[in-house]
Amino acid sequence: MSRAKICGTGSCLPAGRVTNQDLTKWVDTSDEWITTRTGIKTRHVAVKGEETSRLAADAARQALKMTGMQAEDLNIIIVATITPDMTMPSCACLVQQELGALNAFAFDVNAACSGFVYGLDVAEKYINSNPCLNILVIGAETLSGRTNWKDRNTCVLFGDGAGACILTGEESGRGIVASKLYSDGRLFNLLKMAGAPSMNAELARDDHDGSYIKMAGRDVFKYAVRCMEKAVAAVLTNAAVDIEEIKLLIPHQANIRILKSLADHLGIDYEKIYINLQKYGNTSAASIPIALDEANREGRLVKNDLLLLCCFGGGFTWGAMVLRW
Ligand code: COA
């Protein structure tokens, strides 16, 4: 049976880091508050030359190196991002030109922090129709550019970075086993980031309140736990897999308390959850592929092991995926 299998991973973090201590210079907060409420200690912040497309391309180069493929071997490039360098062209097209991947077509996916899992799901559909395709899926963000550094409710949470993987068809049964995606646009107001206001006065929104990320933290917290729990239960049923069979859960890295609560609800060993948010904060669509790459390079991903991904983000969007590594 042919499945869409991840054959290479990569990641890229900007060089600069902002510690909790650094943040105390700009907003009324403390290392103790941030650490206990979120688990985050530092986050990477991009500067000129480290735009989303550059981070994405660097992560992609690493993934290509791991597979031994050339950029010309890629057929499709999908970038999950809510912080593309420009609205048009897509970040994926900029990555294509950075890599010289001239045999590919390229497009972006916007599903906020869930974007990478959505991207994998789209890639899987293409590979199901043609297992010979090589598809690059990237999650890349520079949310630092859309963060209000005077708002302590949000500025302590986010970070920049990119993660990438390459998928192709494989007959061995390894690869994506099942996925389940959801969204509920009725809840859009609880986590949002407006773009530039429309220049067409008829279309301009009255409630446009700037381009910064805005969030109702407590509501987001509750929905994140409930929604990811539901998605995981559904995907495990679809995959006919018990939670005990999962060797590693790689969740979206938003908040340590969300992950602890999720572990309790799911009845999964906390040690089976891959956590790196203390180093990077919430990197939105980049968080799962960065964690996947780290876990891969640390040797935590063992051939034929069952992995679980789960995500939650603005929209709201959420979902879960089971993979046989
Ligand atoms: N430093 C110090 N105090 C802070 C603070 C900060 N950085 N941010 C908020 N506070 C204060 C609040 O102003 C509030 O003070 P008050 O009681 O005097 O009004 C107090 O801390 C408690 O705020 P609250 O929002 O209830 O805290 P919380 O325990 O819910 O934690 C979050 C806040 C944002 C960490 C938490 O709600 C969260 O993680 N939510 C999910 C966010 C997320 O993951 N978003 C992305 C999803 S993809």
Side-chain angles (χ1 to χ4, degrees):
M1 178 198 196
S2 178
R3 283 192 169 137
K5 180 183 155 270
I6 294 176
C7 51
T9 61
S11 59
C12 174
L13 280 309
R17 287 191 317 158
V18 171
T19 65
N20 291 347
Q21 199 56 41
D22 294 331
L23 286 164
T24 64
K25 292 179 220 150
W26 310 321
V27 288
D28 180 13
T29 191
S30 64
D31 175 44
E32 199 267 333
W33 193 96
I34 302 169
T35 306
T36 53
R37 298 292 177 115
T38 72
I40 299 164
K41 297 296 273 184
T42 62
R43 68 285 294 141
H44 289 249
V45 172
V47 294
K48 199 169 171 58
E50 294 176 320
E51 292 78 12
T52 303
S53 64
R54 294 279 184 84
L55 300 177
D58 273 1
R61 283 187 193 98
Q62 285 192 31
L64 282 167
K65 197 169 164 198
M66 191 181 278
T67 61
M69 282 182 201
Q70 303 301 312
E72 299 78 28
D73 298 329
L74 296 172
N75 303 104
I76 306 177
I77 299 172
I78 302 173
V79 178
T81 185
I82 50 170
T83 50
D85 305 17
M86 304 179 214
T87 302
M88 179 184 72
S90 66
C91 188
C93 283
L94 298 181
V95 170
Q96 177 188 27
Q97 71 102 30
E98 276 266 335
L99 297 177
L102 298 181
N103 297 318
F105 64 89
F107 61 93
D108 286 0
V109 167
N110 176 341
C113 303
S114 306
F116 179 73
V117 178
Y118 272 57
L120 289 182
D121 190 63
V122 173
E124 192 219 5
K125 291 348 178 225
Y126 279 110
I127 287 172
N128 283 348
S129 63
N130 181 359
C132 297
L133 294 175
N134 298 319
I135 307 186
L136 172 63
V137 181
I138 303 173
E141 304 281 13
T142 48
L143 268 170
S144 60
R146 304 300 295 278
T147 299
N148 180 353
W149 291 96
K150 293 184 180 138
D151 174 15
R152 68 177 184 173
N153 290 298
T154 52
C155 76
V156 302
L157 301 176
F158 300 102
D160 300 337
C165 69
I166 296 170
L167 295 104
T168 194
E170 163 132 348
E171 291 294 325
S172 65
R174 295 166 64 203
I176 296 174
V177 178
S179 61
K180 194 86 180 86
L181 304 181
Y182 303 82
S183 66
D184 187 346
R186 292 171 302 180
L187 302 168
F188 83 94
N189 243 339
L190 297 175
L191 181 56
K192 64 179 181 180
M193 193 171 78
S198 174
M199 298 302 281
N200 177 343
E202 294 298 321
L203 297 179
R205 291 187 66 126
D206 297 334
D207 64 352
H208 190 284
D209 52 3
S211 306
Y212 294 133
I213 195 155
K214 299 248 165 49
M215 185 183 68
R218 277 189 191 178
D219 292 325
V220 173
F221 191 108
K222 277 185 234 152
Y223 276 105
V225 176
R226 263 189 247 144
C227 290
M228 285 195 284
E229 181 192 0
K230 197 175 106 185
V232 166
V235 83
L236 290 176
T237 303
N238 285 0
V241 165
D242 285 333
I243 191 87
E244 292 78 30
E245 295 176 73
I246 297 294
K247 290 288 181 339
L248 195 66
L249 165 58
I250 302 186
H252 171 50
Q253 310 278 319
N255 182 315
I256 196 80
R257 291 187 297 131
I258 291 178
L259 299 185
K260 281 187 173 144
S261 184
L262 184 66
D264 289 346
H265 282 82
L266 293 176
I268 190 168
D269 275 354
Y270 188 61
E271 288 67 41
K272 283 188 176 177
I273 305 183
Y274 192 86
I275 297 171
N276 64 5
L277 59 84
Q278 67 282 3
K279 294 187 283 185
Y280 309 129
N282 178 347
T283 56
S284 184
S287 89
I288 292 178
I290 292 171
L292 192 67
D293 182 49
E294 274 195 1
N296 195 14
R297 286 171 199 273
E298 286 166 8
R300 300 266 316 259
L301 308 181
V302 179
K303 190 174 169 183
N304 283 318
D305 271 3
L306 283 168
L307 307 184
L308 181 59
L309 311 182
C310 68
C311 56
F312 181 86
F316 288 149
T317 54
W318 67 98
M321 179 175 273
V322 173
L323 303 99
R324 187 172 288 285
W325 190 255

